[in-house]
Amino acid sequence: MPLLELAGVSKSFGGIVALHEVTLAVAEGEPVGLVGPNGAGKTTLFDCIAGLLEPEAGSIRFGGRRVDGLPPFRRSRLGMARTFQRLELFSGMTPLEHLLVTERTRQGTGRLWKDLVGLGRPTRAERREADALLDLVGLADVADQPVEVLGLGRARLVELARALAAGPRLLMLDEPSSGLDDDEREALASAIERARRELGAAVLLVEHDLDLVAEVVSRLVVLDAGKVIADGGVSTVLADEGVRRAYLGAAR
Amino acid sequence: MTELLSYVLPGVPYGCVYALMAAGLVLTYRASGVFNLAFGAQAYVSALLFSVVVQEGAGTWWAFVLSVVVAGPVMGLLLDGVVFRYTRGAPPLVRLVPALGLMIAIPSVAQMLAGTSTRVPASFVLRPNQVYFHLAGSAVSGEEIGTTLVAFASVAALAALLRSRRLGLRMRAVVESPRMAELHGVRSDAVGSLAWSISSLFAALAGVLLAPIYAQLNASNFTALLVAAIAAAAVGGLESLPLTLVGGIAIGVAQQVIGGYLPSGTILSSGLRPAFPFLVLAVLLVGRRSLRHDGRLDDPLAGCDPPMASLRPAPRMAEVALGAKAFTVALGAAVVAIAVAVVPGNWEFTFTQAAVLSIVMLSITLLTGLAGQISLGQAVFAGAGAFTAGQLAAHFGLPVLAGVLAGGLVAGMLGAIVALPTLSLGGISVGLLTLSFALLADNVLFLYSWSGNGATGLSVPRPKLGGLSFAGTGAFFGLSLVILGIVSGAVVLVRGGTVGRQLAAIRGSETGAASIGIDVARLRIVAFTLSAVIAGVGGALYASLEQSVSPNDFNYQFSLVYVVVVAAVGVYSVAGAIEAALAYTVLLQLVGSLPGRYSSLVALVFGLVALGYVRHPEGVVTYAQSWVLDRAEQLARFLQRDRASGAEAG
Ligand SMILES: Nc1ncnc2c1ncn2[C@@H]1O[C@H](COP(=O)(O)OP(=O)(O)O)[C@@H](O)[C@H]1O
Ligand SMILES: [Mg+2]
């Protein structure tokens, strides 16, 4: 049984059809690349899966149960984590604090009375885990800076680390490499790799950098004008005539 | 039928003036994202100026030109150029606080300039009070016809202007995305200035038109006008001018009809009329999707902005930070000590007030500073606590300290209830909803004998605990400090704990918070409840300190004042709340010891604070500290380098 299963998902904004009967399945632990020209509906698809948008038609199953209709935080608790194309960081907090709050929320042990008797502070184990994650994405040196002072590239890495800290079964990354320099891109690739290895997480990767995509995934889904126009192995899909026309044509 | 018409017709002129104000609100909101709560104050200033000039003997037309055509746009340009231009793209709190400060400051300063004698409003339109004709049995006066025509024509002219290609398109472009518009050669600052001058012209016109219906010019009447206008603007979805016009007229008419049909002499009939716009606003805010979030967050180029400056001071050298903190605290203490030494007065009482007020202020630290929610109704929670303690003491002989606890609990429940309709709202909308709740409390909820007991109020004794009496101010001060300590401790613990970190996450990004599994709705309710409990405890304690309280001690103005003071001094720390309370009470005491004509100094300080806040949204005390820190750090580095080079030489 696939981890994520979309059937006939459609979404439009006024007259614009952003998604048209998208059907897609992602197996447990499978890395999948999702590509397509700007405006193809990739972000909209993520928003529908995560619950920020409700599709007009179709069904979404995650881990075998219907999740459409569930609010975003419930879907997250079922094991979805994501990054945002337009960052949604916790302004005013440091990268370390981002990870601490995420870990604590994952454990679901937030109780007001515990805070009031002083049991709410981060434990050593939580700090170690957070430090390890920060090391992994290469943010250890800015662990205690407010996120506003970080550049776009490092801010994206904070979002990635936060998503990983949630311990996801499905990791959705929306253009994670835009704004990253070479070192950061390296850290990104290894972080995705480790998420797959250690968490066994499935990955949905939206990315324009096809080298990075080929490095991380073996299967590619192409979206154009809200429709899935190709789905298969990376090399086969990239050789496909229709894909070249949609993607390269739009890039021209 | 004729009876109904006789209520409907007089409502139309009011409605048109509401719509006029509302059109101005929509215009500035669209063009600069600022919900200008100072509009009522601007209307008041123009009405005052008009009356003064007329009473000085100048002709009506001269007065009109001066107070509306000149003063209106000039005020708008000033506000835009000095304050609101700098709040563009800032978080909701930063956009709201300056407007609140000005809303409080402008009327007092104007009053001071105009002299303290109460002014009888002069009338501008047609020949006032002359009955022109009868319609459906009711007399229609020149004022009514003139007001309706002028207001209607102005809104229509604005609508036409916005439809025109040149200006309309540009303005729409600036609204959609100021950056995109700039890229296409539209100067968004110029468009903003134009919008501010037109809308302020409308506010001035509304003030002058509406003034004659009041017996005397009084700033609070114009606040009521402002709120009716906000409701009318909400009917138009903060967008459509025709719908805004319809909304304004409907509200004006409905108020008259309510006044006509409800049995007179009851609290409901006298209170519902002023509170009606708030109810409309509350229903619309909850019901209309387009009002829920700040539309300006959707700028497609918003990602290209440089990141907002952090509201949190950057990390520092630890010893230097400690030193600077000690220095600023010492400086503050010295100022207070000098004030105590020089100015006579009951300072013991003042400091006790400060301790109690600190508790109320801490409720804002938790809700706004930590959780990022804007409440303009904190005084209602404080009042709920005070009246609960008072009623329980009066009817059941409950000891006051138990009453303080009960007050906190009742206020907490109220907080949870108020939080429910705000769950789907964002930023400023939450502020407007809580403001409408505060006005409902002022006009209806707190007037019953079972709640605040109207103008009479309640008496609350000083507490006793076993053999210990806190009747003396000194003992009460000690008690207040203990309770303040407990509450501060609780806030610190919550902030450092799981819930506190989750609240901080919500403040940063609700979408992000939900994406890691935080139940944003539940936590918002928790934040409102906790904050209301704290405010309720503070309010009950305040009642016991003053020994008698009435709804006037907790009216909406206090809610606004509290937010402005805490935000300006520092909303992110416990110390900020205490410093805010201290600064406020000491300021009141100082001004109170001056002759009466200086009483507007408090308001003047508020105005300056609002201006300062725009540049330093982290709070003035925090800013002062970091300024001292910068200097201290420079000095420390200099000394280190000195020592290092000295070692090298040796
Ligand atoms: N909130 C929205 N309102 C209106 N149109 C939208 C909204 N979000 C996305 N769209 C439109 O839906 C289409 C798909 O957008 P998006 O999912 O962001 O594409 P991608 O991420 O592939 O670049 C685009 O045409 C975009 O303009
Ligand atoms: Mg996208």
Side-chain angles (χ1 to χ4, degrees):
Chain A
M1 183 189 59
L3 175 67
L4 176 74
E5 215 177 349
L6 308 185
V9 171
S10 298
K11 175 77 195 171
S12 51
F13 299 100
I16 304 168
V17 179
L19 294 176
H20 182 72
E21 299 190 352
V22 172
T23 297
L24 177 69
V26 177
E28 198 91 50
E30 184 186 22
V32 178
L34 183 62
V35 298
N38 277 326
K42 305 178 296 290
T43 299
T44 305
L45 187 67
F46 272 18
D47 286 348
C48 286
I49 297 172
L52 291 178
L53 295 173
E54 271 309 317
E56 283 116 28
S59 70
I60 303 175
R61 285 171 179 281
F62 185 71
R65 69 178 274 200
R66 288 274 306 242
V67 294
D68 28 326
L70 288 186
F73 81 92
R74 291 220 175 278
R75 300 191 200 194
S76 157
R77 288 181 185 179
L78 290 175
M80 291 183 188
R82 68 175 291 191
T83 65
F84 297 86
Q85 185 175 5
R86 262 179 61 186
L87 299 179
E88 293 285 356
L89 285 169
F90 305 141
S91 47
M93 287 170 67
T94 66
L96 179 66
E97 287 167 339
H98 275 74
L99 304 192
L100 289 174
V101 70
T102 307
E103 282 168 19
R104 191 51 80 84
T105 305
R106 182 185 70 196
Q107 296 159 13
T109 48
R111 291 284 172 277
L112 194 58
W113 68 265
K114 282 192 183 165
D115 292 352
L116 285 174
V117 295
L119 293 176
R121 303 193 167 274
T123 62
R124 260 156 200 271
E126 284 169 346
R127 280 203 72 120
R128 258 200 309 277
E129 208 172 310
D131 285 338
L133 257 180
L134 287 171
D135 266 336
L136 175 75
V137 296
L139 290 174
D141 57 324
V142 290
D144 293 317
Q145 308 260 323
V147 285
E148 290 93 329
V149 305
L150 307 180
L152 178 64
R154 310 200 99 184
R156 282 203 190 287
L157 292 176
V158 177
E159 280 217 338
L160 174 67
R162 180 177 70 183
L164 290 176
R169 294 166 74 192
L170 172 67
L171 183 62
M172 295 187 278
L173 305 174
D174 201 345
E175 306 203 8
S177 83
S178 76
L180 266 60
D181 63 26
D182 284 347
D183 287 348
E184 290 165 345
R185 196 177 150 283
E186 212 44 55
L188 171 75
S190 70
I192 299 174
E193 196 45 47
R194 202 191 87 155
R196 294 215 317 108
R197 224 181 29 245
E198 291 180 12
L199 298 169
V203 177
L204 256 181
L205 175 64
V206 167
E207 188 51 70
H208 287 306
D209 177 350
L210 289 179
D211 292 340
L212 179 68
V213 175
E215 204 174 309
V216 174
V217 309
S218 44
R219 178 180 152 211
L220 208 51
V221 175
V222 184
L223 211 57
D224 184 33
K227 295 197 191 88
V228 176
I229 58 166
D231 186 345
V234 174
S235 46
T236 354
V237 167
L238 287 182
D240 183 279
E241 189 55 31
V243 172
R244 297 184 140 261
R245 216 176 309 122
Y247 210 33
L248 303 177
R252 182 178 31 159
Chain B
M1 191 62 213
T2 348
E3 194 194 354
L4 181 63
L5 261 186
S6 76
Y7 296 133
V8 167
L9 286 178
V12 173
Y14 287 92
C16 285
V17 177
Y18 295 165
L20 190 60
M21 280 285 268
L25 270 178
V26 172
L27 188 59
T28 41
Y29 180 72
R30 288 270 126 207
S32 62
V34 171
F35 213 89
N36 185 14
L37 291 173
F39 256 153
Q42 288 174 254
Y44 169 73
V45 169
S46 284
L48 193 64
L49 186 58
F50 182 78
S51 300
V52 170
V53 175
V54 168
Q55 279 156 25
E56 293 296 321
T60 314
W61 277 104
W62 278 115
F64 176 77
V65 168
L66 194 64
S67 64
V68 176
V69 182
V70 176
V74 166
M75 265 191 283
L77 288 174
L78 266 179
L79 291 186
D80 177 44
V82 178
V83 182
F84 292 110
R85 180 167 299 181
Y86 302 96
T87 65
R88 208 174 261 163
L93 185 70
V94 180
R95 278 181 277 153
L96 192 61
V97 166
L100 290 178
L102 292 170
M103 177 180 176
I104 299 165
I106 292 176
S108 299
V109 174
Q111 224 160 24
M112 184 171 68
L113 294 177
T116 40
S117 64
T118 50
R119 293 282 172 176
V120 179
S123 175
F124 158 64
V125 280
L126 297 185
R127 217 168 314 151
N129 301 327
Q130 178 176 341
V131 171
Y132 277 74
F133 57 90
H134 285 77
L135 195 68
S138 43
V140 180
S141 72
E143 270 170 8
E144 288 170 333
I145 298 175
T147 302
T148 308
L149 287 180
V150 173
F152 206 94
S154 308
V155 177
L158 179 62
L161 191 66
L162 289 184
R163 243 165 242 265
S164 78
R165 273 189 68 79
R166 248 184 93 70
L167 189 65
L169 272 185
R170 270 164 204 228
M171 210 166 265
R172 228 171 302 154
V174 170
V175 168
E176 292 283 321
S177 165
R179 287 165 215 83
M180 196 87 91
E182 295 260 342
L183 290 180
H184 284 91
V186 177
R187 284 172 43 226
S188 52
D189 275 353
V191 173
S193 302
L194 186 65
W196 274 87
S197 40
I198 295 177
S199 59
S200 300
L201 176 73
F202 277 26
L205 189 57
V208 170
L209 285 177
L210 204 64
I213 68 162
Y214 303 121
Q216 50 171 274
L217 285 176
N218 179 338
S220 69
N221 288 330
F222 289 85
T223 306
L225 164 66
L226 171 75
V227 175
I230 295 176
V235 173
L238 289 179
E239 198 166 39
S240 152
L241 287 182
L243 273 181
T244 301
L245 187 62
V246 171
I249 294 176
I251 291 169
V253 167
Q255 276 182 313
Q256 295 293 328
V257 173
I258 289 170
Y261 277 104
L262 278 182
S264 62
T266 66
I267 289 172
L268 208 56
S269 70
S270 61
L272 198 56
R273 228 193 98 168
F276 179 72
F278 303 106
L279 295 180
V280 173
L281 181 63
V283 170
L284 285 171
L285 278 175
V286 176
R288 280 193 80 137
R289 273 191 152 270
S290 61
L291 296 177
R292 285 185 190 165
H293 292 281
D294 296 305
R296 300 183 51 82
L297 296 178
D298 288 335
D299 185 342
L301 285 188
C304 308
D305 271 341
M308 270 293 287
S310 171
L311 293 184
R312 207 162 101 157
R316 305 281 187 169
M317 298 159 77
E319 326 81 53
V320 182
L322 202 65
K325 181 129 199 159
F327 179 75
T328 39
V329 168
L331 195 68
V335 170
V336 173
I338 292 172
V340 173
V342 173
V343 181
N346 187 353
W347 284 97
E348 195 180 31
F349 191 77
T350 304
F351 289 133
T352 312
Q353 274 183 323
V356 173
L357 192 60
S358 296
I359 300 175
V360 178
M361 300 287 195
L362 276 173
S363 75
I364 300 174
T365 307
L366 189 111
L367 186 65
T368 307
L370 185 55
Q373 307 294 317
I374 299 171
S375 163
L376 300 181
Q378 289 303 100
V380 182
F381 303 131
F387 300 142
T388 303
Q391 296 281 3
L392 288 177
H395 293 291
F396 302 99
L398 192 76
V400 173
L401 278 180
V404 168
L405 273 184
L409 291 181
V410 169
M413 282 189 272
L414 200 60
I417 294 170
V418 171
L420 289 178
T422 71
L423 291 182
S424 58
L425 302 178
I428 282 177
S429 305
V430 179
L432 293 179
L433 191 70
T434 46
L435 177 64
S436 74
F437 177 66
L439 280 138
L440 186 68
D442 284 356
N443 289 300
V444 183
L445 293 182
F446 279 170
L447 302 184
Y448 292 99
S449 61
W450 52 261
S451 57
N453 201 20
T456 327
L458 299 166
S459 62
V460 185
R462 293 272 172 93
K464 273 206 270 309
L465 188 68
L468 229 55
S469 162
F470 298 100
T473 305
F476 196 97
F477 180 57
L479 175 70
S480 311
L481 283 188
V482 169
I483 297 182
L484 174 61
I486 295 172
V487 173
S488 309
V491 172
V492 169
L493 282 171
V494 168
R495 189 174 58 189
T498 313
V499 173
R501 272 175 279 150
Q502 291 178 331
L503 291 177
I506 289 176
R507 183 184 83 212
S509 159
E510 295 199 351
T511 308
S515 86
I516 60 164
I518 293 176
D519 184 349
V520 176
R522 197 187 125 247
L523 272 158
R524 269 201 189 188
I525 297 176
V526 169
F528 261 94
T529 309
L530 269 182
S531 160
V533 168
I534 296 174
V537 166
L541 214 54
Y542 177 81
S544 175
L545 170 68
E546 300 284 334
Q547 289 176 286
S548 95
V549 280
S550 75
N552 243 340
D553 295 318
F554 302 102
N555 71 25
Y556 79 94
Q557 290 195 337
F558 287 101
S559 298
L560 307 185
V561 166
Y562 295 163
V563 171
V564 173
V565 175
V566 181
V569 173
V571 76
Y572 298 104
S573 68
V574 170
I578 297 170
E579 287 153 356
L582 195 60
Y584 180 65
T585 45
V586 168
L587 178 69
L588 283 189
Q589 172 82 16
L590 289 180
V591 172
S593 68
L594 297 174
R597 65 192 135 94
Y598 292 110
S599 64
S600 343
L601 273 180
V602 178
L604 201 62
V605 171
F606 271 101
L608 293 176
V609 157
L611 298 189
Y613 180 77
V614 174
R615 313 288 147 89
H616 302 292
E618 73 272 29
V620 285
V621 171
T622 315
Y623 170 71
Q625 264 172 16
S626 56
W627 189 87
V628 173
L629 266 169
D630 283 338
R631 299 295 149 307
E633 236 166 20
Q634 275 170 4
L635 188 70
R637 265 200 219 103
F638 180 74
L639 290 178
Q640 266 173 5
R641 208 178 313 139
D642 232 30
R643 209 177 309 145
S645 59
E648 242 164 64

